[in-house]
Amino acid sequence: MAMGVNTLAYYFKETARYLVRNSWLSLAAIGTITVSLLILGVSILLVTNTNKIALDLEQKLEIRVFLKQNLSLSQVEQLEKRINFVSGVARVSFVSKEKALADLRKGLGERKDILAGMKKNPLPDAFQVKMERSEQIAGAAAQISSLPGVEQVLYGQDTVEKLLLVTRWVRIAGIIIIGALILAALFLISSIIRLSVFARRQEISIMKVLGATNWFIRTPFLLEGVTLGFLGSFVAVVILYFSYWSFVQQISTFVPFIPLVADQRLLFNLFGGLVGLGLVIGIAGSFFSVRKYLKV
Amino acid sequence: MVHFYHVSKVYQNGVKALKDVTMHISKGDFLFLVGPSGAGKTTLTKLLLREELPTKGQVIFCGKNVARLKPQEIPLLRRKIGVVFQDFRLLPKKTVYENVAFALEVIGGSGQIIKKRVPEALELVGLADKQKMFPSQLSGGEQQRAGIARAIVNRPLLLITDEPTGNLDPKTSWELIYLLQEINRLGTTIIMATHAWDIVNTLKKRVVALSGGQMVRDEKRGVYGYGG
């Protein structure tokens, strides 16, 4: 059936009428959707940011392998080969004690005089080992430390593990809370639609006798759900947008070394996704009620 | 136009509403359906509108077996049949005009058609001057006229009226019958289920009598009664 302008006008009129009639319940549904999508958005931002910080740290992270003194050149080469064989190792580079000392001098800057009294270079030769993934660091470090010729192995284990743990917990807690809230939103929307169907039962029975198609009868109810979903997610996105930007600005002013996600496109996708999810919740909630309570 | 072939209807609760009813209605007929309450008059109209399916037999409307219609064809069937209820069933929050226009709106009628046909229908039933009133501001007879206007505004082939005078006083009832006769003269087939024996006896139209779900009488120019 071709949809006339008249039919469209009818749909919008009906939808608006019943949203207003059930205004308190409608507000409750919008609020629930807003809160659930807000929490979803916050946890997604939290996870992406912790991931970004972890990634940033990981790139800086490396295993430092200090060698025993007095190894022969062939022993050093042998050890480099064996480290290269450890699974997950991305790159191994040799740092001679001379270079280490030079680096130290450079690092000390104007206070390099401290080193002036030294007759002998106290620093050991070392390898810098980069891993493909940060989870592999602990295992690889243990393996390397058992290789012959290795004096000591150091890496920033604690920091990485803590970050990964945070990311994991945020993810799990987020999924549980969001799941519960989305269920609540679905339930509220389907209750609203059920009330709407009930309030209009006389009209619906007359419409059926008059020969209205099933879709004609259903559409205002579906639109009602979609509108609730849209309003709820829109409010969530607006709140999220402004509060996240002010947060990013605060952080970049006061703690500039923390790298936050500020990629416009990524955020745009996130906000678009949230609105999309709101619409899906709206449609799903109303479709459920329309199927169950609207025997057409 | 309408054919019932050996139609029986047993409801899920075991009530046998119709037993082996066979009858034919031609285009342009004006038919009184008489019988005590529970005789099966309402079931007959429900089968025609496909609100119920026959347990046995066939209901044919305009050459189509009503039971075999696809779900999307059911609304199209109902658009060819106008229904007038004993209790009017007007929407209380819409004006008379809006109630009649509603019948066209719900089938996707354009604004042009609505602007043309609604005043025509209201003129025909004599409510042109009350179109802006709400149902609660009308008398029973006027409400029933609005109900008729709503039923005929889509120009149905068949008009089913279920005890249209059941809630009206005798004078108003007669005015309504004259209106239905007028609509019938304009070409619409009419089935009127009724208990109003004086109307049936005076008009001497075709009478089909049901009793206990069975058709006990079908007379060309009948009088009221269902004794057999």
Side-chain angles (χ1 to χ4, degrees):
Chain A
M1 187 183 74
M3 196 189 285
V5 175
N6 213 47
T7 305
L8 264 180
Y10 167 84
Y11 285 155
F12 286 117
K13 207 173 65 194
E14 290 296 290
T15 305
R17 222 174 101 207
Y18 279 87
L19 281 175
V20 171
R21 174 175 289 189
N22 296 326
S23 48
W24 281 110
L25 214 55
S26 301
L27 274 180
I30 292 171
T32 314
I33 295 171
T34 301
V35 171
S36 32
L37 294 183
L38 211 52
I39 293 178
L40 176 62
V42 167
S43 31
I44 287 176
L45 283 174
L46 216 59
V47 168
T48 39
N49 274 306
T50 37
N51 275 347
K52 186 163 190 282
I53 294 168
L55 199 76
D56 200 67
L57 277 180
E58 270 167 28
Q59 276 163 0
K60 288 176 189 160
L61 262 182
E62 53 191 20
I63 304 174
R64 296 177 73 89
V65 182
F66 297 103
L67 307 187
K68 289 191 169 127
Q69 302 281 2
N70 310 319
L71 292 182
S72 69
L73 193 63
S74 67
Q75 277 174 312
V76 173
E77 280 173 356
Q78 185 73 18
L79 187 58
E80 181 170 2
K81 269 182 203 151
R82 295 179 86 159
I83 292 174
N84 260 320
F85 272 119
V86 172
S87 71
V89 168
R91 191 158 46 83
V92 181
S93 49
F94 181 71
V95 182
S96 68
K97 49 179 151 188
E98 291 76 22
K99 173 145 194 319
L101 190 62
D103 285 349
L104 186 60
R105 274 213 176 91
K106 213 183 286 170
L108 286 171
E110 304 202 326
R111 291 159 63 209
K112 63 185 174 204
D113 305 340
I114 314 175
L115 301 175
M118 281 196 300
K119 294 207 172 86
K120 210 175 122 206
N121 183 353
L123 300 173
D125 288 331
F127 283 119
Q128 285 183 348
V129 181
K130 288 246 184 208
M131 301 300 295
E132 280 160 1
R133 291 205 312 275
S134 60
E135 304 97 272
Q136 300 165 322
I137 286 182
Q143 262 184 287
I144 292 170
S145 66
S146 67
L147 294 177
V150 173
E151 176 73 45
Q152 199 187 1
V153 172
L154 289 179
Y155 64 99
Q157 181 187 22
D158 284 3
T159 330
V160 171
E161 278 182 355
K162 270 180 199 152
L163 259 176
L164 291 177
L165 201 68
V166 167
T167 317
R168 197 182 307 140
W169 277 110
V170 167
R171 219 173 263 162
I172 292 171
I175 287 171
I176 293 171
I177 295 170
I178 292 155
L181 280 168
I182 286 179
L183 274 181
L186 279 173
F187 177 75
L188 266 173
I189 288 186
S190 72
S191 305
I192 289 175
I193 303 301
R194 199 170 81 198
L195 277 179
S196 266
V197 170
F198 186 73
R200 274 188 277 191
R201 63 197 183 286
Q202 195 198 7
E203 243 175 286
I204 292 167
S205 77
I206 291 170
M207 285 163 93
K208 279 194 251 179
V209 169
L210 291 172
T213 60
N214 291 347
W215 277 111
F216 184 89
I217 298 174
R218 281 183 198 131
T219 303
F221 298 108
L222 295 178
L223 271 181
E224 196 178 334
V226 169
T227 310
L228 292 173
F230 176 75
L231 289 177
S233 56
F234 184 74
V235 173
V237 162
V238 168
I239 294 175
L240 207 57
Y241 178 83
F242 286 108
S243 42
Y244 186 67
W245 275 115
S246 77
F247 178 72
V248 166
Q249 261 156 15
Q250 297 272 326
I251 289 290
S252 64
T253 310
F254 297 110
V255 221
F257 53 85
I258 293 182
L260 284 179
V261 177
D263 178 4
Q264 292 278 3
R265 185 179 292 169
L266 193 104
L267 293 176
F268 190 78
N269 285 345
L270 169 64
F271 294 151
L274 288 180
V275 172
L277 186 63
L279 292 180
V280 169
I281 293 173
I283 292 179
S286 51
F287 202 78
F288 170 77
S289 259
V290 164
R291 261 183 58 158
K292 193 159 178 202
Y293 300 103
L294 191 65
K295 300 273 189 300
V296 286
Chain B
M1 187 168 67
V2 181
H3 306 281
F4 284 78
Y5 293 107
H6 305 288
V7 173
S8 297
K9 175 66 188 178
V10 182
Y11 284 103
Q12 279 191 329
N13 58 13
V15 172
K16 291 172 184 162
L18 287 178
K19 292 174 197 157
D20 196 30
V21 170
T22 297
M23 70 163 174
H24 309 283
I25 302 168
S26 310
K27 190 168 173 1
D29 272 4
F30 193 124
L31 179 147
F32 286 117
L33 204 55
V34 302
S37 301
K41 304 189 296 285
T42 305
T43 301
L44 213 66
T45 64
K46 281 190 171 171
L47 291 176
L48 257 174
L49 289 167
R50 209 202 191 264
E51 286 175 5
E52 296 288 346
L53 288 169
T55 314
K56 266 189 203 158
Q58 276 132 36
V59 180
I60 311 290
F61 180 77
C62 289
K64 282 195 174 170
N65 186 337
V66 171
R68 292 224 192 108
L69 292 176
K70 293 175 196 140
Q72 65 266 30
E73 290 177 318
I74 296 170
L76 303 178
L77 162 82
R78 291 178 183 163
R79 290 174 195 186
K80 292 180 187 147
I81 303 174
V83 184
V84 176
F85 304 95
Q86 177 180 8
D87 55 356
F88 321 137
R89 299 208 196 159
L90 299 168
L91 296 172
K93 294 204 172 160
K94 288 181 188 281
T95 63
V96 170
Y97 182 95
E98 286 164 350
N99 263 287
V100 178
F102 187 63
L104 294 173
E105 279 175 6
V106 302
I107 61 171
S110 72
Q112 273 181 320
I113 287 185
I114 291 174
K115 279 196 195 106
K116 183 171 171 289
R117 289 208 193 161
V118 175
E120 280 176 8
L122 288 172
E123 186 72 36
L124 180 65
V125 301
L127 282 180
D129 54 336
K130 305 206 163 159
Q131 53 172 305
K132 283 185 185 157
M133 291 190 174
F134 288 91
S136 56
Q137 297 170 293
L138 300 179
S139 71
E142 288 166 337
Q143 289 188 48
Q144 193 57 293
R145 284 163 184 272
I148 291 173
R150 183 180 64 189
I152 60 165
V153 72
N154 186 33
R155 300 183 181 165
L157 300 169
L158 173 66
L159 186 65
I160 299 176
T161 64
D162 193 1
E163 295 188 39
T165 61
N167 288 346
L168 305 177
D169 62 65
K171 179 172 171 286
T172 316
S173 297
W174 274 107
E175 285 168 4
L176 205 80
I177 295 304
Y178 293 139
L179 174 60
L180 288 176
Q181 276 189 292
E182 176 67 22
I183 291 165
N184 180 234
R185 262 197 292 277
L186 293 171
T188 307
T189 309
I190 295 181
I191 298 176
M192 176 170 160
T194 187
H195 291 303
W197 58 271
D198 53 326
I199 291 172
V200 176
N201 289 348
T202 308
L203 262 85
K204 297 226 163 40
K205 299 269 186 191
R206 183 176 168 195
V207 175
V208 169
L210 289 173
S211 182
Q214 279 173 312
M215 203 172 81
V216 293
R217 208 150 54 84
D218 183 358
E219 290 170 357
K220 261 260 152 61
R221 293 173 67 78
V223 289
Y224 192 80
Y226 36 82

